[in-house]
Amino acid sequence: MKQCPKGHRYPDKLPECPVCAKDSELQTVFAYRSELIPDAEKIESSSALSAEDKTSVMVKKEITPPVSEKRTDSNIHKTVILDRKHLLKKKAVLVGWLIELDAEDIPVKSYEIYDKKISIGRYPDNDIVINDDAVSGFHCSADFQNNKILITDEGSANGTIVDEKEISSQILDEKNIILLGRSKFKIQYLH
């Protein structure tokens, strides 16, 4: 077993820590051509919109036009009208990983957990899809509350087991072992 500088243990056969690799991927941010400027002006009045239906306006500012495009005043600033629901959407923040373990408790796969409710199960509609016939279609959910991950069984046939006890709902620590069907997992928080 190897150990990365952050203290994660992983098998010798892997070239790098799977948890740290996922973390570094998430820190890469790409910007192409434009960025949204937050806190742009609001539409104050409009005869076409009621007070409840007013939309917010954000200005798109050109960063770098492609070489094939000639820069003109018309392509430097653009106005984009977004509905209120779009503006209220909060960007999901990574809070940890659900790490799948093999029979010897060696990590084999990791799934990202964000600060929103996520579904876990066998069906492809889930946020985390577990390929195990003993896992129900919509087996359980994980929700980030009070800086901890809360796992809740969603009426699965084989139950959600945490530290050898069937649970309906439980706050998870990094030391907990979770069984979903025949698959074994643990939680790793992003510190």
Side-chain angles (χ1 to χ4, degrees):
M1 292 291 285
K2 295 180 189 175
Q3 186 168 348
C4 75
K6 291 185 179 179
H8 305 125
R9 292 181 47 195
Y10 60 98
D12 292 329
K13 63 184 177 183
L14 296 176
E16 64 181 341
C17 173
V19 175
C20 291
K22 287 287 185 186
D23 185 34
S24 66
E25 287 174 18
L26 291 171
Q27 293 176 5
T28 305
V29 178
F30 297 97
Y32 174 69
R33 292 197 70 217
S34 63
E35 63 182 347
L36 289 176
I37 301 172
D39 302 320
E41 61 183 324
K42 307 265 184 199
I43 294 177
E44 294 300 327
S45 63
S46 172
S47 58
L49 299 173
S50 69
E52 296 170 6
D53 293 331
K54 286 183 183 171
T55 17
S56 295
V57 173
M58 299 186 90
V59 177
K60 249 184 164 179
K61 183 179 178 185
E62 189 85 7
I63 292 177
T64 312
V67 177
S68 62
E69 245 185 61
K70 181 180 175 186
R71 182 180 278 279
T72 65
D73 289 339
S74 65
N75 70 2
I76 293 175
H77 292 285
K78 298 177 182 175
T79 302
V80 179
I81 299 177
L82 305 169
D83 63 32
R84 188 180 313 160
K85 289 178 185 174
H86 177 79
L87 293 174
L88 296 176
K89 284 184 183 176
K90 182 177 106 173
K91 185 178 178 183
V93 176
L94 179 71
V95 296
W97 297 268
L98 179 67
I99 301 173
E100 189 170 355
L101 306 171
D102 66 7
E104 298 166 0
D105 291 343
I106 297 173
V108 292
K109 191 169 186 179
S110 64
Y111 304 92
E112 296 168 348
I113 297 179
Y114 293 91
D115 64 341
K116 63 180 184 113
K117 187 172 184 175
I118 59 169
S119 61
I120 303 169
R122 194 178 69 249
Y123 291 157
D125 294 344
N126 287 291
D127 297 308
I128 296 177
V129 178
I130 309 298
N131 189 15
D132 179 344
D133 291 339
V135 171
S136 294
F138 294 102
H139 196 97
C140 63
S141 62
D143 196 7
F144 189 68
Q145 297 178 0
N146 300 323
N147 294 323
K148 290 288 186 179
I149 296 170
L150 173 72
I151 191 165
T152 304
D153 186 80
E154 299 293 345
S156 64
N158 293 322
T160 299
I161 313 296
V162 176
D163 295 334
E164 301 179 5
K165 295 177 185 169
E166 188 167 352
I167 56 101
S168 59
S169 185
Q170 181 172 327
I171 298 286
L172 296 175
D173 290 318
E174 290 183 346
K175 63 183 181 209
N176 295 132
I177 298 294
I178 304 120
L179 289 175
L180 306 177
R182 291 181 292 271
S183 302
K184 189 182 340 180
F185 301 90
K186 71 176 184 174
I187 291 291
Q188 175 72 49
Y189 285 100
L190 179 66
H191 296 285

